[in-house]
Amino acid sequence: MKAPLWHLTWRSIANRRLTALLTVISVALAVALLLGVERLRHDARAGFAATISGTDLVVGARSGPVQLLLYSVFHIGNATNNVSWQSVEAIAALPDVDWLVPLSLGDSHRGFRVVGTTAGFFEHYRHGRDQALAMAAGRPFGEVFEAVVGAEVAERLGYRVGQSIVVSHGSGEVSFAEHDDKPFTVVGVLARTGTPVDRSVLVSLEGIEAIHVDWAGGARLPGVRIAAEHVRKFDLSPKSVTAALVGLKSRVAVFRVQRRINDWPAEPLLAVLPGATLQELWGVVAVAERALLAVSALVVAVGLAGLVAVVVASLGERRRELAILRALGASPGQVFRLLALESLMLSLAGCVLGIMLLSAAVAVVGPWLGAHYGLPLSAGWPSVAEWRLLGAVLAVALLASLVPGWRAYRYSLADGMTIRI
């Protein structure tokens, strides 16, 4: 037998192209699922970690550290209580504090969070690798009824500089209580950041106070309606805020300032380190991550088991073929390598097709996940962790390919040439 082994293997696969194609597709789907779960896990962590940088402490009413980080930075959930403005000013005046950016949450616009803050937000907020916010169009707000919208808000709602928007009371998708008598004018559109800022509407703290001048207890005061042009006559200083981002002059003092805020005498407050709290969050979701990876690994194992079953089942029909190869001079070892190489080639083709399917899925589903759930998936070559998973899949496939090879090795020439009735 002088034909190269890989050539014989390829001709054997081509002779059973339909069965081989179905086997490759099943392995590809399993590999795409495994790599997809790993990429989603990795990109979710990277996206969360890139949301905020350069902020030493996040301060809010006393609750759980993870809960505080989720509602203040990622806009997931709601605060249990507010922080008084007197406490905010006192914290900003601490000798170790360099800057403080207050955040006021609780309102929304067509499902997007409205964030009341100060001009310091545009100066001090950092994301990714210490990247500052940039304006795609317009400028930061400067007046009471001016607003800056995130890139996702502008894209999905078609907003441009100069348009008017109405803020709704509450943070739900649908609101029946709107501040329609005090509209805001869009004066700026932020460049895309890949963070919750993209899905936010930024207004001044005075703007938040202005739209609630004639409200009390979450409802409009009966018979009271103060026009937008008259609200400036009132004191629009904030009474309380939801949370605050704090930057220190030196990170050496972070634990000292954190301890002082946590023991704040005027009201129960909580200060958390964003990085440490993120690690705590990953510890909470680690069980779910491992469970998803385990399920995906089981799917791959089932796919490889199906591949082995198909090849082994075909041996009954191919015993005469193998016997002819033996008669032409193929040794038992060559027959073993032929069947093992066939299984390995099918597995390798399944891995390659799985990578292609994952790339196509990321291109199609990635923008939707980023727009609706803030989980942008990265396109491109597999990461180091994904290559390790692919290596593990191929290693298991190599071990699995030994099963049909061993079965073929045991078939004798006389058994293959004998016709069984």
Side-chain angles (χ1 to χ4, degrees), residues 58-65 68 71 80-92 94 100 240-244 246 257-272:
V58 179
V59 179
R62 187 169 297 168
S63 58
L68 171 58
Y71 73 70
T80 57
N81 207 345
N82 282 349
V83 181
S84 68
W85 187 246
Q86 290 77 14
S87 294
V88 171
E89 291 181 319
I91 293 173
L94 292 176
L100 183 146
S240 63
V241 296
T242 308
V246 178
V257 176
Q258 181 189 28
R259 184 167 55 251
R260 184 167 181 179
I261 295 174
N262 289 340
D263 296 333
W264 201 253
E267 57 184 315
L269 298 179
L270 177 67
V272 300

Side-chain angles (χ1 to χ4, degrees), residues 40 47 89 100 110 115 119 121 124 138 154 183 187 205 257 266 290 309 314 370 388-389:
L40 183 63
E89 291 181 319
L100 183 146
R110 299 179 65 176
V115 181
F121 185 87
H124 298 295
V187 296
L205 291 176
V257 176
R290 287 194 292 267
S314 68
R388 284 199 293 263
L389 289 176

Side-chain angles (χ1 to χ4, degrees), residues 3-18:
L5 189 62
W6 68 266
H7 181 70
L8 290 175
T9 304
W10 172 251
R11 294 296 298 270
S12 176
I13 293 175
N15 189 49
R16 298 174 291 104
R17 59 180 66 90
L18 180 59

Side-chain angles (χ1 to χ4, degrees), residues 319 326 332 335-336 404-413 415:
R319 294 176 81 166
R326 290 288 304 278
V335 173
F336 171 84
W406 176 250
R407 291 292 300 272
Y409 179 83
R410 295 183 58 188
Y411 288 158
S412 64
L413 176 63
D415 182 52

Side-chain angles (χ1 to χ4, degrees), residues 28-265:
L29 290 174
V31 169
L33 176 62
L34 178 65
L35 297 183
V37 169
E38 171 59 27
R39 183 164 301 187
L40 183 63
R41 184 188 71 85
H42 176 270
D43 288 353
R45 289 197 172 202
F48 270 64
T51 296
I52 185 170
S53 64
T55 296
D56 297 306
L57 292 171
V58 179
V59 179
R62 187 169 297 168
S63 58
V66 173
Q67 181 187 6
L68 171 58
L69 188 70
L70 287 178
Y71 73 70
S72 61
V73 176
F74 300 104
H75 303 168
I76 300 174
N78 296 291
T80 57
N81 207 345
N82 282 349
V83 181
S84 68
W85 187 246
Q86 290 77 14
S87 294
V88 171
E89 291 181 319
I91 293 173
L94 292 176
D96 292 317
V97 173
D98 186 26
W99 54 265
L100 183 146
V101 175
L103 304 173
S104 182
L105 307 171
D107 294 302
S108 64
H109 172 70
R110 299 179 65 176
F112 294 102
R113 288 290 183 110
V114 173
V115 181
T117 184
T118 62
F121 185 87
F122 303 98
E123 178 183 356
H124 298 295
Y125 183 85
R126 295 291 187 272
H127 63 94
R129 297 184 177 180
D130 202 34
Q131 293 177 279
L133 295 176
M135 303 299 298
R139 57 175 176 80
F141 56 75
E143 297 294 331
V144 175
F145 292 111
E146 291 183 345
V148 175
V149 298
E152 193 64 40
V153 179
E155 180 180 332
R156 290 181 59 184
L157 301 181
Y159 286 162
R160 296 182 179 180
V161 174
Q163 288 187 256
S164 294
I165 61 174
V166 174
V167 173
S168 302
H169 193 73
S171 56
E173 290 283 343
V174 179
S175 177
F176 298 99
E178 295 189 340
H179 302 283
D180 50 3
D181 58 331
K182 300 177 182 67
F184 286 81
T185 301
V186 176
V187 296
V189 177
L190 288 170
R192 188 172 293 276
T193 63
T195 70
V197 175
D198 294 341
R199 300 177 297 280
S200 303
V201 176
L202 303 175
V203 300
S204 65
L205 291 176
E206 292 77 13
I208 294 294
E209 292 295 323
I211 60 177
H212 293 100
V213 164
D214 47 6
W215 284 59
R220 192 186 302 272
L221 292 172
V224 178
R225 184 178 289 270
I226 301 174
E229 57 270 18
H230 296 151
V231 296
R232 292 176 176 83
K233 299 177 181 179
F234 293 83
D235 181 15
L236 300 181
S237 301
K239 309 301 183 294
S240 63
V241 296
T242 308
L245 307 179
V246 178
L248 304 180
K249 296 176 182 177
S250 172
R251 292 192 174 182
V252 176
V254 64
F255 293 109
R256 180 171 65 250
V257 176
Q258 181 189 28
R259 184 167 55 251
R260 184 167 181 179
I261 295 174
N262 289 340
D263 296 333
W264 201 253

